[in-house]
Structure formats: C-alpha cells, structure tokens
Amino acid sequence: MERIRIIAVDDEPEVRDMIEEYLTRKGFDVRTADSGPALRDMLEQTRPDLVLLDIAMPGEDGLSIARFLREQHDVAIIMLTAASDVVDRVVGLELGADDYVTKPFDPRELLARIKSVLRRSGHDREADVPSPGKQELVRFGPCILNTESHQLSGPDGQEIAITSMEYDLLKAFADHPNRVLSRDQLLNMAHNRDWEPFDRSIDVRITRLRKKLEADPSKPQAIKTVRGAGYMFVPGAK
C-alpha cells in the first residue's frame, strides 16, 4: 500500500527534524520545507495528503500559505501554532485548516491529530474503501449531507466543498437533531477536544457552514442559535 505523504513546513530545523524522524518511523512518507517557496517547489514534484504548517514564519507566513493551499490543492492542513496565537488560530480555521496543534507538542499528540484529520478528510488510504450498501442522507435546509461519502450537495445537486472539521460538526448535529448543543459539547463531539475559554473555532465554523447551508445566513433556519446555550439543528427547515 502506498504510504501517506506529508510535508512539514517550519522555519525551525529542530522542529522539522523531529517531525520527519518521528513520523517516518510511524510509516509515513515525510518531506520538509523551511518556507513557502520551498513548499511550492515540492508541490511541483509531489502531491501530499497532508501539510503540517507553522503559522509564525519569517517572510510568507503560514496563513498566506494555507490560503494558497486551500485554493489550489486538495490537501489536509494542520496548523502549528503558539499557545498565545488565538487570533491566528481562528483565522487559520476560517481559511479552511482542518485542525491545529499548539507548540510545544508531544509527537504522540501530533500523530493522533494526523490520523484523525486523514480519516475525516478521506486521505486515509484505508478510508478510501467504501462500505457497500451503507449510505445515509441528512437534509440541512436546502442541502443534503451524505454521511458515507462525507459530501455536502446543494439544491442543484452540485457538491459544496467542506473541510473535514466542518463535516464532523455537521455529523454531530445530524446525530443529535432538535437538541441544544453547547460549544464544549460540539467541540468534544466534532473535534474530540476539550473546550478552551477563548476558542472561537465552533462559532467560526458555524458561520462558515451557514453561508453554505442557509438560504439567508443572517436568518438561519437549519442551525439555530439558542442564546446563552449553544446551537440546535432543526431537521426539515427550508
């Protein structure tokens, strides 16, 4: 079986070396780059399944590179952020990053995040094998979520691009219709992460999803805000 391809982009040599050594021992095909230009050169030669991307780099920063990747390539993205970079973390998620890991990190945590993102995004080789006869369609307003293929379709039948974390959030709602879910519940259900007091990732993702799902995002019908409590998925809403 072909190995999963990962590119780690970080300006710190010791971080690149640690990631390459650890993930290579775990069976991944790992390459490293110290900057955006170096990554672009690599992308002309190989198509990675996942990019580990440091936000704080001199010259072109990780946020700019993430925007480029999301627009030009079908690749999963995990941002590497400092604990204090709350704003950059939120912006990274808004740009479509699949997850983030806070520096300094334990390599075992990074591996767990990688496996989770690959599984959710469909870049996991084993996840590419379909389960025969298994398909569930869930309506979110005028759109349809296929929980087997992880695809969201608009009213015209065309696929709407969603990130793996956005899919996980929709799946959490689909599994708990007509139930108010708090932010910490959604974080645990969708991302397997405990709630952080200043983590706005759920609000960011809800806003992004409403723009894709709702006929009028300013007056959401499918995913409603319950003031002071959280969010609720309303099946059958138009």
Side-chain angles (χ1 to χ4, degrees):
M1 180 181 295
E2 185 179 2
R3 292 192 296 168
I4 297 291
R5 295 180 296 273
I6 295 176
I7 297 179
V9 187
D10 197 299
D11 62 305
E12 300 180 56
E14 60 274 18
V15 174
R16 296 197 305 272
D17 292 345
M18 180 270 290
I19 291 174
E20 182 176 18
E21 179 182 355
Y22 183 78
L23 294 182
T24 298
R25 284 194 283 110
K26 295 300 180 179
F28 295 95
D29 178 358
V30 184
R31 304 185 186 188
T32 64
D34 61 2
S35 63
L39 171 63
R40 286 178 168 82
D41 288 343
M42 284 188 179
L43 291 174
E44 293 181 359
Q45 306 298 326
T46 186
R47 292 187 177 182
D49 299 288
L50 182 144
V51 173
L52 299 171
L53 185 56
D54 184 31
I55 285 186
M57 292 189 292
E60 184 179 18
D61 65 19
L63 296 176
S64 175
I65 299 171
R67 182 182 296 107
F68 159 75
L69 287 172
R70 188 52 70 219
E71 291 175 351
Q72 302 294 328
H73 297 274
D74 176 21
V75 61
I77 302 172
I78 295 180
M79 308 296 289
L80 306 178
T81 76
S84 60
D85 290 342
V86 177
V87 174
D88 285 346
R89 188 185 308 161
V90 171
V91 173
L93 293 172
E94 289 176 333
L95 292 173
D98 295 284
D99 204 347
Y100 63 83
V101 175
T102 302
K103 289 182 172 182
F105 52 82
D106 187 311
R108 292 170 296 181
E109 178 193 3
L110 178 63
L111 178 61
R113 297 281 189 209
I114 289 171
K115 289 182 176 180
S116 178
V117 166
L118 289 171
R119 184 171 58 252
R120 297 192 317 248
S121 66
H123 288 273
D124 188 344
R125 301 284 186 257
E126 295 179 358
D128 289 338
V129 181
S131 301
K134 181 183 177 183
Q135 177 172 301
E136 183 179 353
L137 304 179
V138 182
R139 178 175 292 278
F140 283 84
C143 301
I144 298 292
L145 178 70
N146 186 320
T147 60
E148 173 62 19
S149 66
H150 293 203
Q151 291 180 324
L152 180 69
S153 301
D156 58 357
Q158 294 296 311
E159 182 180 354
I160 298 173
I162 56 174
T163 68
S164 60
M165 289 179 76
E166 288 172 344
Y167 168 78
D168 280 355
L169 188 54
L170 288 176
K171 185 62 165 58
F173 280 124
D175 289 342
H176 301 85
N178 296 311
R179 174 181 166 186
V180 178
L181 300 174
S182 65
R183 288 173 177 81
D184 54 338
Q185 286 177 315
L186 287 168
L187 278 166
N188 286 327
M189 292 176 186
H191 311 318
N192 192 27
R193 174 183 292 127
D194 291 333
W195 181 56
E196 299 174 24
F198 301 104
D199 191 336
R200 290 182 52 243
S201 63
I202 288 296
D203 299 321
V204 168
R205 210 151 304 283
I206 293 290
T207 298
R208 286 172 55 91
L209 283 172
R210 282 172 170 167
K211 292 178 180 178
K212 299 175 181 182
L213 293 170
E214 305 279 1
D216 183 355
S218 65
K219 299 178 181 179
Q221 301 299 312
I223 301 177
K224 289 184 171 291
T225 299
V226 181
R227 190 173 299 278
Y231 297 97
M232 182 173 66
F233 165 46
V234 182
K238 301 299 183 182

